[in-house]
Amino acid sequence: MSGTIIKAARNTPHAPQDLGPYTQSVAFSHYNNIAAQLPVDPRTGKLVSGDIQAQARQCLTNIQAIVESIGHVMDDMVKVTLFLKNMGDLEAVNAVYREFFPRNLPTRTVLAVAGLPLGAAIQMDALLSNGEGTFPQAPCPLIKLARNSCRAPADPLSTHTVAFSHYNNIGAQLPVDAATGQLVAGGIQEQAAQCLRNIKNVLESIDVPFDDIVKVTVYLTSLADQGAVDEVYRTFFPDSAIARAVAYLPARSVVSATALPLGARVQMDAVISHGDGTPPQLVEDRHNLVIRARNTDQAPRSPLHSQSVAFSHYNHIAGQLPIDMATGKVLTGCIKEQTAQCLGHIKTIVESIGHVMDDIVKVNIQLKNIEDLDAVNAIYTKYFPSYLPARTVIGVSELPAGALIQMDAVMSNAESTPPQV
C-alpha cells in the first residue's frame, strides 16, 4: 500500500469485547466503521434479559459507548443497519431508536435474517463520520449533508442520503411509489425497477449521476428472484455514455433476507462517490476524481459487478462466494474449506491492486448456519492474525449455489484515486 494515512483500530471496555475476532471501531480517513453490536451487557458479557426493546436499547447503548469513547456523538452517525430476527419487532424497535436519534437521522437499512450470533433477536452496525481524519491528516470541521427528495418514498426514521467528505450513503430503498406511499403493483421485476428508480431519483435530486455509485447491496427474500432482478439491474447499469464506454459496473453483494419492511420482496441500498466533498473541502470536478474499478482473472468474475471499486480513500470489494476457480462452481467441502476459499478470493483481489489484508477495515459475513461461526473464526484469524477489522455476521436462509458462506469487505485506500495523492 502506498500513502501514509494510518488506520485507527480501537476498543472500549464500555462496550462488549471478546465476542469474536473483530475490533469495535476502525477509522480510516474521514470515516469510522463500527462493528455489529449485539444486545450484550459489557459488564457480564451476556445477552441482556428482557424483551426486544431491552435488546434494541442495549445495541444502541453499546454503539453510543463506542462512539463517545472516540470523542464523537450520535449525531455524527451516517448510516445504521438493523438486523432483526423477527420483522414483526420493528415497530417496538423504532420506539427505542427514536430515543437515540431525536434530531439528525442517519440513513438506515432494515432486514430480518435467519439467525444472529448468541441467539440474539437484534443486531446493529453503523458508519460514523470522522472529521478529524486519521494521522497524518489534519482535523477538519467537515459538514455532514443530510438530504431528502420528494421523488423518493419518505421514511420518518431515515434520511434518503447523508454525504460526508467524499462519500454519500443512500438509505435502503424499498419498492414503494413515492406518489402513493405503497408498494408498486406487479412482481419482482417491477419491485426491483422501483428500488433502482428511487435510488436514481434521490441522486438526481442532489445533482449526482447514477454512475457515481460504487457499491450496491441487493436484499432478496428469495434468491430464486435473483435472475429476474438481474435482468432489470442490467437496464440501469451502466447508465451514461461515459460509463458504457468503459463498461463500468459498481461492486455488488446480494444478501438473503427472511423478511423486508412492508412485505417487500427486494430492497437496495448504495454507496456513492461524492467528488465535490462536503464543506469546507474544495469542490473537485466530479469526473476529475476517478472511480477506479478493477478485476483480476485470479478471482471469480461477474458480468454484473466489478470485483473492486476504489474511490478517494476507500475501496469496496464485492461479495465473494466460495467458488472453485478450476470448476467455476461452489467448492465442495465443509465450512472451513469454504471460508478459506472466500477469504482466499478477497486476498487475491486485495493483492492484485497492491494492498495487503491488514488494509481491510470492515468485513461482512453471511452464514447459512450461524452455528458454523466458531469454525469460521478458526480460519478467519489465520487471515487476520493481528490487525482485526470491524465485522458484521448474520445467518441467512440461503446462499447462491448452495454455498455455506459469503463475504464482502471495505478496504482502506491511502493512495486514493486521481487527482488526490
Side-chain angles (χ1 to χ4, degrees):
M1 181 186 76
S2 60
T4 56
I5 300 172
I6 295 174
K7 187 171 68 172
R10 292 170 285 192
N11 290 297
T12 173
H14 300 297
Q17 297 187 85
D18 304 320
L19 295 181
Y22 62 84
T23 302
Q24 292 169 350
S25 164
V26 180
F28 187 82
S29 188
H30 289 132
Y31 277 93
N32 211 316
N33 300 268
I34 297 177
Q37 293 301 301
L38 290 160
V40 169
D41 185 335
R43 296 169 298 179
T44 65
K46 305 293 184 183
L47 288 177
V48 294
S49 58
D51 60 8
I52 186 62
Q53 289 195 318
Q55 290 203 17
R57 184 170 287 106
Q58 188 64 55
C59 289
L60 286 160
T61 298
N62 291 341
I63 289 174
Q64 186 171 27
I66 295 168
V67 167
E68 293 178 350
S69 75
I70 54 178
H72 281 260
V73 295
M74 292 292 274
D75 276 352
D76 294 337
M77 202 68 72
V78 171
K79 180 177 182 183
V80 177
T81 304
L82 275 61
F83 303 96
L84 297 168
K85 190 68 173 63
N86 182 352
M87 186 57 72
D89 287 335
L90 182 56
E91 185 175 349
V93 169
N94 284 344
V96 176
Y97 191 86
R98 289 185 183 94
E99 299 172 12
F100 288 81
F101 298 103
R103 295 180 301 278
N104 297 322
L105 291 167
T107 64
R108 193 171 81 153
T109 295
V110 178
L111 64 151
V113 297
L116 291 168
L118 304 182
I122 187 170
Q123 174 178 258
M124 303 184 197
D125 67 13
L127 183 65
L128 188 73
S129 60
N130 191 52
E132 64 271 28
T134 49
F135 184 83
Q137 292 175 322
C140 181
L142 299 175
I143 297 173
K144 188 173 70 171
L145 295 179
R147 291 171 284 189
N148 288 297
S149 168
C150 62
R151 297 174 58 199
D155 183 337
L157 286 172
S158 176
T159 301
H160 283 150
T161 168
V162 177
F164 189 79
S165 186
H166 286 129
Y167 273 93
N168 207 323
N169 296 268
I170 304 289
Q173 292 300 306
L174 290 160
V176 171
D177 184 332
T180 66
Q182 304 296 316
L183 289 178
V184 293
I188 186 62
Q189 290 193 316
E190 288 78 10
Q191 290 201 12
Q194 188 67 47
C195 291
L196 287 160
R197 197 175 299 118
N198 288 342
I199 290 174
K200 191 169 187 177
N201 287 343
V202 171
L203 291 178
E204 289 178 349
S205 75
I206 57 174
D207 194 28
V208 173
F210 198 66
D211 282 317
D212 281 0
I213 294 174
V214 297
K215 170 78 186 292
V216 177
T217 303
V218 180
Y219 304 93
L220 294 172
T221 56
S222 172
L223 290 186
D225 287 337
Q226 186 174 341
V229 170
D230 287 347
E231 287 183 27
V232 175
Y233 194 86
R234 288 185 180 95
T235 68
F236 281 81
F237 295 102
D239 183 61
S240 66
I242 294 173
R244 286 192 292 271
V246 295
Y248 172 68
L249 292 167
R252 191 177 81 156
S253 292
V254 177
V255 176
S256 173
T258 57
L260 294 169
L262 304 182
R265 294 167 66 178
V266 59
Q267 80 174 357
M268 303 184 197
D269 62 21
V271 182
I272 321 294
S273 63
H274 191 239
D276 37 359
T278 51
Q281 288 179 325
L282 297 177
V283 175
E284 300 270 7
D285 179 342
R286 285 192 184 122
H287 296 294
N288 197 27
L289 263 175
V290 177
I291 295 176
R292 178 167 288 170
R294 288 175 286 192
N295 291 289
T296 172
D297 290 332
Q298 302 306 308
R301 300 187 66 157
S302 168
L304 286 164
H305 68 245
S306 298
Q307 292 168 350
S308 164
V309 179
F311 182 80
S312 187
H313 288 132
Y314 276 91
N315 208 317
H316 302 262
I317 297 175
Q320 297 299 307
L321 289 162
I323 301 294
D324 184 335
M325 293 298 293
T327 65
K329 298 180 179 179
V330 167
L331 182 73
T332 301
C334 67
I335 184 61
K336 287 187 175 182
E337 292 167 321
Q338 291 200 14
T339 300
Q341 191 73 35
C342 290
L343 286 163
H345 292 326
I346 290 174
K347 185 177 181 182
T348 295
I349 294 167
V350 166
E351 292 178 348
S352 75
I353 52 179
H355 280 258
V356 295
M357 291 292 277
D358 274 349
D359 292 338
I360 291 176
V361 296
K362 173 79 187 293
V363 176
N364 298 301
I365 302 175
Q366 297 95 47
L367 291 173
K368 180 67 172 65
N369 300 301
I370 198 70
E371 295 81 8
D372 285 338
L373 185 53
D374 285 344
V376 169
N377 287 341
I379 304 301
Y380 188 88
T381 51
K382 295 179 180 178
Y383 286 81
F384 300 103
S386 55
Y387 216 151
L388 292 167
R391 193 174 77 163
T392 294
V393 179
I394 60 173
V396 295
S397 55
E398 55 180 339
L399 285 165
L404 300 176
I405 187 170
Q406 176 177 251
M407 300 186 193
D408 64 23
V410 181
M411 186 172 71
S412 60
N413 190 50
E415 66 271 29
S416 194
T417 50
Q420 293 185 334
V421 293

